[in-house]
Amino acid sequence: METHSLTNLINKVVNKLLESKSVVVFTGAGVSAESGVPTFRDKDGLWQKLKPEELANFNAFMRNPDMVTEWYSHRRKIMHQVQPNPGHFAIAELEKFFERFAVVTQNIDNLHQRAGSKNVFELHGNIERNYCIKCKKFYQLGDIYPDKAIYCECGGLIRPDVVWFGEMLPEDEYESAVKASRTCDVCFSVGTSAVVFPAAYIPIYAKQSGAFLVEINPNPTDISSLADVVLQGKSGEIFPLIVEEFKKRKGL
Ligand code: OAD
């Protein structure tokens, strides 16, 4: 995309933001790609190398808790080693200017919170939390990265508090996210292929309810055709440009 047209498109988005009260930023793995967290479906994505049904579901965990525990330890270690990128920081900065602002993320990596985002709904859980499947006691493992299954004092297996295939989304988080998407003026869909439901309903509900939908992604997705503006590029490059222009227009 030429710089000129990118500037025009960013102006269009900023014009909308300036007249808006409520914003939703729906994010996926792509928003953390520039931090060094692998995505799922890109060429080098996780699901090209590993099958979701072998790792990210409850039966797989029960069949082979050592392997699944070790895999999540590996991912958590990566997430601890990386830092939020300019995309995460720009999203966190934009929140300060709105009465109602929600980050609705499919990511489990905690990077939005580490960048300073306050109102974050985590649709697929958070890798930092773990709980016992028997007594539901919560555990934080910090910098302990077990390479084998771990057990609660009650004897139950401890699993990561993430949503696996076939499982329900956390009800409160999803309901709050749907409410935010149904009532927002502008919805961004950033760094997601938007193919995993029900999470991917968020930008669709926003659009159906009359929001201005903006997609930020280097590649076309299933919802590109729904978007009012498609900003083709990396979130760590595009989102800071939006916030910079927004602040300039507000005289900040
Ligand atoms: P995907 O791997 O499906 O999609 C990542 C998207 O990010 C793609 O559309 C890329 O084009 C885009 N992308 C790559 N680099 C980017 C960058 N620098 N800036 C912006 N976009 C970029 O990941 P998700 O859509 O998050 O669920 O996947 C959704 C769910 O599928 C995940 O939450 C996970 C997975 O299975 C569960 O584990 C339940």
Side-chain angles (χ1 to χ4, degrees), residues 28-30 34 40-41 47 106 124 163 165 191-193 217-219 235:
E34 288 155 88
F40 294 94
R41 296 175 183 78
W47 295 155
Q106 300 162 92
H124 291 164
V163 175
F165 287 91
T192 176
S193 56
N217 199 310
N219 303 302
S235 55

Side-chain angles (χ1 to χ4, degrees), residues 72 108 124-127 129 131 159-164 167:
Y72 276 92
I108 60 173
H124 291 164
N126 187 311
I127 200 164
R129 291 188 307 264
Y131 67 92
R159 62 164 282 181
D161 189 12
V162 299
V163 175
W164 282 331
E167 292 184 328

Side-chain angles (χ1 to χ4, degrees), residues 102-136:
V103 176
V104 179
T105 190
Q106 300 162 92
N107 300 343
I108 60 173
D109 58 22
N110 221 27
L111 289 175
H112 285 299
Q113 290 92 333
R114 284 174 59 195
S117 283
K118 297 276 180 279
N119 197 30
V120 183
F121 299 120
E122 294 175 316
L123 298 186
H124 291 164
N126 187 311
I127 200 164
E128 295 299 334
R129 291 188 307 264
N130 298 269
Y131 67 92
C132 166
I133 63 171
K134 210 162 143 196
C135 73
K136 312 290 181 227

Side-chain angles (χ1 to χ4, degrees), residues 163-193:
V163 175
W164 282 331
F165 287 91
E167 292 184 328
M168 303 282 284
L169 269 54
E171 212 174 318
D172 288 359
E173 303 283 301
Y174 184 62
E175 273 176 17
S176 304
V178 168
K179 196 167 163 206
S181 73
R182 288 257 186 227
T183 54
C184 69
D185 303 311
V186 177
C187 177
F188 290 91
S189 181
V190 192
T192 176
S193 56

